[in-house]
Amino acid sequence: MSTLLDLKSSVLRQVQACPSFRRRTEEEAAAGTSGAEAPAPSQEAWKPGDGVEFFAQMRLVLKKGEGRQRLPRPEVSPTPARPHPLPCLRRHRPPARSPQVLLRSGSPAPAEPVDPNRGLRPLSREEMEALYEEALYTVLHRAGTMGPDQVDDQDALLAYLSQVFSTSPEEHAEAVERVRKAKAPAYALKVSVMRAKNLLAKDPNGFSDPYCMLGILPASGASKEPPEKEQRFGFRKGSRRGGGTRDPLPAKCIQVTEVKSSTLNPVWKEHFLFEIEDVSMDQLHLDIWDHDDDVSLVEACRKLNEVMGLKGMGRYFKQIVKSARANGASGPTEDHSDDFLGCLNIPIREVPVAGEDRWFKLEPRSSASRVQGECHLVLKLITTQRDTSMSRCGSSGFRSYLLLLNSLLQFEHRAEEPDSSSWCGELSGPAATILSLHGAQSNLSPLQLAVLHWQVSSRHHQTRSLDYGYLLGLLEDMQAHWEEAASLPQEQEEGLADSFSAFSEFGLQLLRQLRDYFPATNSTAVYRLEVLLKCLVKLQLFQPSCEICPFETELNMDVTAALKRGNREWYDRLLNAKCPREQPAPQRLPGFIELADAVYEDLQAGYGIYASLFHSILKVDFFTLTFHQLECLVAEEAWVLMKELSPRMTLEMASGLFELYLTLADIQRFWSSVPGRDGRSLALAGIHVPFLPAMKLWLQALRDQTRWRLQSAIDVDTLEPVDASSKHSGSAAATGLCFSLIQELWVRLAWPDPTQAQGLGMQLGQDMCEATLFYTELLRKKVDAQPGAAGEAVSEPLCAVLNDVELVRKAAGQALRGLAWPEGAGGPEGELPRPLLSCTQALDEDLQREARTVTAHLTSKMVGDIRKYVQHVSLSPDSIQNDEAVAPLMKYLDEKLALLNASLVKENLDRVLEALWELLLQAILQALGANRDVSADFYGRFHFALEALVNFFHAEGQGLPLESLRDGSYKRLEEELRLHKCSTRECIEQFYLDKLKHRPMEKNRFGRLSVRCYYEVAEQRLAVEVLHAADLLPLDANGLSDPFVIVELCPPHLFPLVRSQRTQVKARTLHPVYDELFHFSVPAEACRRHAACVLFTVMDHDWLSTNDFAGEAALGLGGVCGVARPQAGGGARAGQPITLHLRQPKAQVRSALRMLEGRANKEAQDFVKRLRELEKCMEGDA
């Protein structure tokens, strides 16, 4: 065999699935020759009223609504890094958040309103000079050790102060010299003995009774002994246990803590103040002892110091002990020696300028001493009796620090960018060093420092914006120190209360203008808002004293009032800018549309950005109060506007009102989609009622604009694919996009009244059906006007038109299905109303018919070629192979289908394949009919061609399905070919087999016949019993018949010696009863043949003319009792009665007859002659 059977259409295997309809139409409409939906169509391409501008506007409306389809997710701004202003203050680090959709900009936040008058009072010239002197005095008389982050260069600090106070070099040098000549301050050391830990156990109970003895060791009292002796100073030199004596060393104002009984980890928290004469040489000495006496050494030490005063340099610890014992309860002869637990020696010059708060490891007195543990001390070197103008005038260090900090902060902030609002109060090294020196020398507590930084920074923020995170950190630090310290003096507390009130007033003013200073699209601004709210909450929760809380009512009530006032001011400003009430209603409509859009966007931002901040921080329901307030304002304006527009509604206004209604409906849907919303009714409820006339007018405008748009698209259409990736022309892309936009607009409309929605949908559906048919009519006229290409079998314009029809059919069907029943409209939700469903189905049938018409027109150009190649197969001599005879036809089909596949979409390619398949089958049938008395090879060649064509069109599953290929005309052709290869007797047998297969569709039309049939094996004969008939056809004029039954065995060549038999005639009845038995002597083998049967023919007996045919029925003998199986009971009758439905021969059983008609042998001609006589009887009856 040839390899032709493997010939498959490579074209069909490459058929690809169509891409998404919406994506393709949008891309092709943008790129097509029609210029569909161009944003700014040129006047040369489009004439006025072509619908382009209208649909461009509708696309903008849809695009505006794309962001309104789902509820925005609550979002917050990302948290930028924020350095803290002072190392001593705790850093505020809010948790980092991810940026979300609404936050589109990280640019700087809008500038907040500042007022120089809201800062601290400007200083006079004299006050500035005094403050300058105070700062110089602080630097020149510093004491202690500078920290690693501080500036140790005195000249650098002095030069920095010169810049801050804007003094000339001469003025600066003069001021420095004047301060150097001033009297040096008195120094004092503040010592706080906090606790100790891990001390040695000296008592039998495993504990100790520790106390501390501490004082200042003057430079003159330092030990002169060589260091190698490892002797350390102690308040108890010369123990009795040691055997030797030594003069005790003097100490300044020795102080003693309380005794803590039975502990190795004592907690004292006692504070002492020691005067310092020589900062560079004096030392702080501290001993820890285990107390073993009942005498109060602490009290004795204190009394002695009261007598000697601060100048008691000649007193010794031995005198203290002696005095205490003399006044105590113990006897003088008892041994009450305390055990040494450790000591500390700290040079005053090593105390840091900013103070020191740490654990010190206890030291032994000598290498023989055994000590362990640590002692926690807080040391701070301060000054008293400062020789400055501010001190002499009675200005406190608190006041001096406040003014100095304000000056330094203003100077440092001026060095930043002018428009920067993110400055976090980071001071330079010189500024931080000077403030640290002044705070320590002025003996300011951590709480006072925190209060001062807040007061100055919060006031400065109102004159020039700072970072809110910096301010929040100041509040948190102040609250933390307040919980650890006592309250402030009244004057300082009043100043703090004033700063709270000023800042809260400033913050509420900003919240009133929330949208201006904290826009939702600016992540930096939203972060500032978040921290501002936290600052306000911190003010409310700040509980150091109820007198300084700035809010007379609850904070959330003040914030709510500010927000409501701000909402109203924002709306009124927007209303006056976009649609002032002084204008006529038609002129206000465009502006009100913009206003409604702005309100929706504001609500969206409120829900997505602001709501979560206000709720989580202040427990204020920002979105609910904002929504109800703005919704009421918009509704009020909308009702007024509709009342003015209703009497003079026009088509032009209808489009604007349609857009306005969509936004108002979006606002209502927005509220309904909010979880946990309250049950209050909306002011916009029922707003659709006055908009109904406008919607009907808009539908009219949409109908007209759609027709204009389709007309303009057809006018410029060249019936060529819009690009290489598309197979339809530009007009179809534009039409599909129009329908898609209409469907989306209907979905967006979502009319709330079900009954009204049904009416609007019906009107819109009918308009779309009319527009679709209008397009196909225009397309048909366009094709008819196109000049045809001579000799071109596959026309590209026809292919484009066919694809256009299919594309528009899909687009229209999808758009119409989108007009389903709305919820509550009285029909099943999601289904089309019956009238619209009928309209949709009729439209689809029309478009399918149109597609078939174009397909037929396309394939009609191939009919001649197909017949030519089929004739080539029929005329091929028997000497050539079958594959050679069929090859030209297959090559022709492959070439044409390659062109069709490149030009048609999958659905249309299938249509063309089906049409071509039918053309091929008909051509082959005609070829078979034109050739009679040909050889068997002739029919074998066509049978080969038929199977090759089936494989070609199926294309391994990529083409037409086998079920459709092997149906209809194929079955007839296959039967023709099979019968042509059969002998005469095989054809006759097939004729009767067709009778046996045939089952009547209408069982009672020709009546029924009851028979019984069985085979008598012993007698070698077939018994046929005709029992009765019923419901026969009335063939006589009296409405009855005279029926009789002819019984014959068929086919004749199987039973050549058997004659037919007949029953008696039953006069004037339609229900004859015969009960007649007939015997046929035939062998069982003949009855078992495949086509063997008993044919019952019912006739109507006529006395004066030929008998009339009443019906026939056939019974196969293969299943008769006795033929298929042994007969039960010997020769007795057996088998159940069988009811046969009478019928007339149909066309399905005449294929074999046609084969016999074409044959010239006598047997075939005799058989055909007999059947023709029977048919004449049937025709006469009909």
Side-chain angles (χ1 to χ4, degrees), residues 181-460:
K181 293 179 180 180
K183 181 181 179 181
Y187 294 95
L189 181 67
K190 289 183 66 176
V191 181
S192 297
V193 182
M194 306 305 292
R195 57 182 65 82
K197 63 181 180 181
N198 301 327
L199 300 179
L200 280 176
K202 295 293 186 177
D203 295 341
N205 61 1
F207 295 97
S208 295
D209 304 316
Y211 66 92
C212 295
M213 184 177 292
L214 64 160
I216 299 299
L217 180 64
S220 58
S223 176
K224 302 291 193 299
E225 299 196 15
E228 60 269 11
K229 293 188 178 182
E230 298 183 5
Q231 294 293 329
R232 297 179 183 271
F233 172 79
F235 288 120
R236 288 189 174 189
K237 291 290 185 180
S239 172
R240 280 181 266 175
R241 300 173 187 174
T245 60
R246 152 190 309 276
D247 292 336
L249 297 176
K252 294 181 183 179
C253 190
I254 300 172
Q255 302 285 348
V256 181
T257 66
E258 293 182 356
V259 176
K260 300 297 180 179
S261 302
S262 302
T263 180
L264 302 180
N265 301 288
V267 178
W268 289 290
K269 292 186 178 181
E270 297 185 35
H271 310 283
F272 307 96
L273 182 67
F274 298 99
E275 287 188 357
I276 305 299
E277 291 186 355
D278 190 344
V279 176
S280 60
M281 298 300 296
D282 286 358
Q283 294 184 12
L284 169 67
H285 182 82
L286 179 145
D287 283 347
I288 300 181
W289 299 87
D290 172 39
H291 182 57
D292 290 329
D293 294 340
D294 294 332
V295 180
S296 174
L297 293 179
V298 175
E299 187 64 27
C301 179
R302 288 175 178 168
K303 289 181 178 180
L304 183 61
N305 281 325
E306 289 176 2
V307 175
M308 301 305 298
L310 294 176
K311 303 298 183 181
M313 298 294 296
R315 296 298 181 184
Y316 303 99
F317 185 74
K318 184 171 75 174
Q319 292 175 323
I320 297 174
V321 174
K322 179 178 179 181
S323 174
R325 296 191 196 287
N327 297 321
S330 301
T333 59
E334 296 180 11
D335 185 10
H336 296 285
S337 62
D338 292 345
D339 294 323
F340 179 74
L341 295 178
C343 67
L344 293 173
N345 287 289
I346 303 173
I348 301 302
R349 65 178 179 275
E350 295 181 3
V351 176
V353 169
E356 190 167 26
D357 182 353
R358 71 180 183 91
W359 289 87
F360 294 86
K361 186 177 181 180
L362 295 177
E363 303 172 355
R365 286 181 299 182
S366 64
S367 59
S369 301
R370 178 173 175 267
V371 298
Q372 72 176 34
E374 297 175 279
C375 184
H376 180 199
L377 301 179
V378 178
L379 307 176
K380 190 174 184 180
L381 193 60
I382 65 174
T383 61
T384 59
Q385 304 175 12
R386 296 169 65 88
D387 189 14
T388 63
S389 299
M390 297 188 74
S391 297
R392 289 192 294 272
C393 293
S395 179
S396 64
F398 186 92
R399 172 68 178 172
S400 302
Y401 189 95
L402 182 143
L403 298 177
L404 180 60
L405 174 60
N406 185 55
S407 298
L408 295 181
L409 196 63
Q410 291 180 357
F411 176 79
E412 293 281 327
H413 201 181
R414 281 198 302 269
E416 294 293 318
E417 297 180 6
D419 297 330
S420 175
S421 60
S422 60
W423 190 58
C424 300
E426 281 187 293
L427 300 176
S428 62
T433 301
I434 293 171
L435 289 174
S436 178
L437 290 172
H438 192 276
Q441 293 177 18
S442 300
N443 192 23
L444 297 177
S445 66
L447 173 61
Q448 289 176 311
L449 289 174
V451 168
L452 285 166
H453 277 272
W454 161 256
Q455 283 186 247
V456 173
S457 298
S458 63
R459 288 286 188 176
H460 178 75

Side-chain angles (χ1 to χ4, degrees), residues 2 181 251 270 276 292 351 373 426 446 522 538 544 555 558 587 795 813 870 1014 1153 1159:
S2 169
K181 293 179 180 180
E270 297 185 35
I276 305 299
D292 290 329
V351 176
E426 281 187 293
N522 188 301
K538 190 63 66 175
L555 171 62
D558 293 338
Q587 297 181 19
S795 171
V870 170
Y1014 52 91
L1153 183 59
R1159 301 193 178 187

Side-chain angles (χ1 to χ4, degrees), residues 603-625:
L603 294 175
Q604 201 172 28
Y607 184 84
I609 298 294
Y610 300 132
S612 59
L613 294 180
F614 280 88
H615 182 268
S616 62
I617 299 173
L618 295 175
K619 306 305 178 188
V620 171
D621 193 350
F622 174 90
F623 179 74
T624 298
L625 72 90

Side-chain angles (χ1 to χ4, degrees), residues 197 206 290 703 733 804 956 1008:
K197 63 181 180 181
D290 172 39
R703 177 196 60 198
D804 291 347
E956 297 180 350
R1008 303 180 303 278

Side-chain angles (χ1 to χ4, degrees), residues 717-983:
D717 198 352
T718 59
L719 298 184
E720 295 178 355
V722 292
D723 54 41
S725 61
S726 302
K727 297 181 180 180
H728 45 261
S729 66
S731 65
T735 304
L737 188 55
C738 285
F739 289 163
S740 178
L741 290 174
I742 291 173
Q743 180 192 2
E744 293 187 27
L745 288 169
W746 174 257
V747 173
R748 283 287 317 283
L749 183 62
W751 197 257
D753 187 282
T755 304
Q756 296 173 358
Q758 180 184 353
L760 294 174
M762 284 292 300
Q763 182 61 49
L764 182 59
Q766 293 175 2
D767 292 344
M768 289 179 62
C769 291
E770 293 176 2
T772 305
L773 296 177
F774 176 70
Y775 171 78
T776 57
E777 181 181 354
L778 294 176
L779 193 63
R780 190 183 309 112
K781 292 180 180 179
K782 184 82 172 182
V783 174
D784 294 340
Q786 289 284 321
E792 185 179 359
V794 177
S795 171
E796 282 195 8
L798 281 179
C799 291
V801 168
L802 187 57
N803 292 332
D804 291 347
V805 173
E806 177 63 21
L807 182 65
V808 171
R809 184 186 71 85
K810 288 184 177 179
Q814 180 178 348
L816 288 170
R817 286 190 294 273
L819 306 179
W821 285 101
E823 183 178 358
E829 184 180 356
E831 295 185 7
L832 290 176
R834 186 179 299 276
L836 189 56
L837 179 61
S838 301
C839 182
T840 303
Q841 292 173 348
L843 176 65
D844 188 75
E845 292 174 0
D846 289 340
L847 295 178
Q848 292 280 13
R849 184 165 50 253
E850 186 71 21
R852 288 193 297 269
T853 302
V854 178
T855 301
H857 190 44
L858 181 64
T859 56
S860 64
K861 299 185 177 184
M862 304 172 63
V863 172
D865 292 335
I866 289 176
R867 289 177 179 174
K868 179 181 68 174
Y869 287 108
V870 170
Q871 186 178 10
H872 177 273
V873 176
S874 65
L875 297 178
S876 298
D878 296 341
S879 59
I880 68 171
Q881 297 293 328
N882 290 336
D883 56 353
E884 296 179 15
V886 178
L889 173 62
M890 305 300 286
K891 181 180 179 182
Y892 170 81
L893 291 174
D894 191 70
E895 291 175 353
K896 297 309 175 185
L897 290 181
L899 296 175
L900 291 171
N901 179 64
S903 304
L904 296 175
V905 296
K906 181 66 169 60
E907 295 82 359
N908 288 331
L909 182 60
D910 289 343
R911 288 191 180 98
V912 173
L913 289 177
E914 291 172 356
L916 286 177
W917 179 244
E918 186 63 27
L919 284 177
L920 282 166
L921 294 179
Q922 294 299 326
I924 295 175
L925 283 171
Q926 290 178 8
L928 293 179
N931 293 273
R932 300 291 184 181
D933 295 328
V934 292
S935 64
D937 292 339
F938 175 86
Y939 299 107
R941 186 182 305 125
F942 273 104
H943 189 273
F944 174 86
L946 183 62
E947 292 304 315
L949 289 171
V950 167
N951 293 331
F952 180 85
F953 277 80
H954 180 58
E956 297 180 350
Q958 299 299 317
L960 298 178
L962 289 175
E963 302 80 47
S964 63
L965 288 171
R966 290 177 173 167
D967 199 7
S969 298
Y970 173 85
K971 291 183 177 180
R972 176 187 169 191
L973 177 58
E974 185 184 38
E975 183 68 13
E976 292 263 354
L977 292 173
R978 186 182 66 81
L979 292 176
H980 272 300
K981 295 191 297 183
C982 296
S983 64

